[in-house]
Amino acid sequence: MIRVALILMSTLWATLAAAQEEVVLGLSQNRVQINARFDGSEILIFGAVKRETPIPETPLEVIVTVAGPSTPVTVHRKDRVFGIWVNAESVEIDRAPSFYAVAASGPITDVLSHTEDLRHSVTVPRAVRSVGSEARDPVAFTVALIRIRRDEGIYATLPGAVEVDQQTLFDTSIALPANLIEGAYAVRVLLMRDKQVVSEFETAIEVHKVGLERWLYNLAQDHALLYGLLSLVIAVAAGWLASTVFRLLRG
């Protein structure tokens, strides 16, 4: 009974703490438009902590995550067979964000407990989920996917990137790469005390193609045959134009 009472008291305390501190959030922009000249963007995320009680003695830490739409991914491992590199084992990643960045006011391990990471899926490895596989080491495939996407700038962990002022104001900036896909990018802000989440707020940034990019995307999706023929005509015309220019330069 004592153990149950302690658990209930702990849950009640966490609930009260969450009710006492709430996030008031702002974004430099809540829509990103992708056109032919789009080469990336930067989102400024800022906010304040609304309180009904005095500031607790335990220092406040803040974690901000930005996650793009999740899609399944198949990761292959290549092996050399008779001198030729071929796909060998593969693992189906059930859920992998197309973009994921996590910024914190300090080192992740100093701000977030392992239990809270499991509960809220904060860090990059927790945001990527793989299903059962017959591969000998399925975890290695997930690690490889994360490494590749980190190198491409798609996944990022930014310790110390969130500035916290007077345990009330906070801000950070997240760089969005040029190769974004369309969809809603979820923005989460977690207020942390003693490595525990005391409050959470979530909003979204809409990413859409516009102009020529939107027209080509719709054409490829709705009229694949016409899109393929148009691509072929453009390729032939570009080759003919390049050949003509080359002959004129030589002549």
Side-chain angles (χ1 to χ4, degrees):
M1 290 296 294
I2 295 177
R3 183 178 180 182
V4 174
L6 290 174
I7 294 175
L8 291 175
M9 289 178 63
S10 176
T11 303
L12 178 61
W13 173 256
T15 303
L16 290 173
Q20 291 169 0
E21 295 184 292
E22 297 180 356
V23 176
V24 180
L25 188 67
L27 301 172
S28 59
Q29 54 181 318
N30 56 16
R31 294 178 64 88
V32 175
Q33 296 182 337
I34 302 175
N35 55 33
R37 294 173 294 177
F38 181 77
D39 59 355
S41 182
E42 188 172 69
I43 303 296
L44 175 62
I45 302 169
F46 56 92
V49 181
K50 179 182 177 182
R51 297 186 178 90
E52 301 293 339
T53 58
I55 299 176
E57 294 183 1
T58 307
L60 175 71
E61 304 287 356
V62 179
I63 296 176
V64 177
T65 69
V66 178
S70 292
T71 57
V73 179
T74 301
V75 182
H76 299 279
R77 188 179 69 186
K78 293 184 178 295
D79 282 337
R80 184 183 289 273
V81 179
F82 301 113
I84 302 174
W85 288 101
V86 297
N87 291 331
E89 295 178 295
S90 64
V91 165
E92 179 76 16
I93 305 296
D94 181 50
R95 184 188 66 189
S98 56
F99 171 84
Y100 195 80
V102 51
S105 54
I108 296 296
T109 54
D110 293 346
V111 174
L112 177 71
S113 70
H114 178 70
T115 301
E116 290 294 82
D117 190 16
L118 289 173
R119 183 178 301 165
H120 296 275
S121 300
V122 178
T123 60
V124 174
R126 295 300 173 192
V128 179
R129 186 179 68 186
S130 60
V131 297
S133 169
E134 297 181 358
R136 288 171 292 180
D137 188 8
V139 176
F141 287 81
T142 302
V143 172
L145 175 67
I146 293 173
R147 183 184 68 253
I148 292 170
R149 293 196 167 183
R150 283 189 193 275
D151 294 341
E152 294 175 346
I154 298 176
Y155 290 170
T157 301
L158 308 169
V162 180
E163 297 288 339
V164 181
D165 186 23
Q166 303 294 322
Q167 297 199 58
T168 301
L169 304 176
F170 62 89
D171 68 89
T172 188
S173 60
I174 303 294
L176 302 178
N179 54 341
L180 295 178
I181 68 171
E182 285 192 299
Y185 284 62
V187 179
R188 283 192 304 167
V189 176
L190 299 95
L191 301 184
M192 314 293 300
R193 290 193 185 276
D194 197 22
K195 297 186 179 184
Q196 305 298 310
V197 177
V198 298
S199 184
E200 182 176 358
F201 181 85
E202 184 168 338
T203 186
I205 300 170
E206 295 294 331
V207 175
H208 294 290
K209 292 182 172 69
V210 296
L212 180 61
E213 291 288 317
R214 163 55 60 184
W215 183 78
L216 290 174
Y217 177 80
N218 289 340
L219 183 65
Q221 296 296 316
D222 301 333
H223 305 283
L225 178 60
L226 181 59
Y227 177 80
L229 292 174
L230 180 62
S231 300
L232 180 61
V233 169
I234 292 175
V236 171
W240 174 83
L241 180 60
S243 176
T244 302
V245 171
F246 183 72
R247 285 201 307 270
L248 291 174
L249 291 175
R250 292 188 61 184

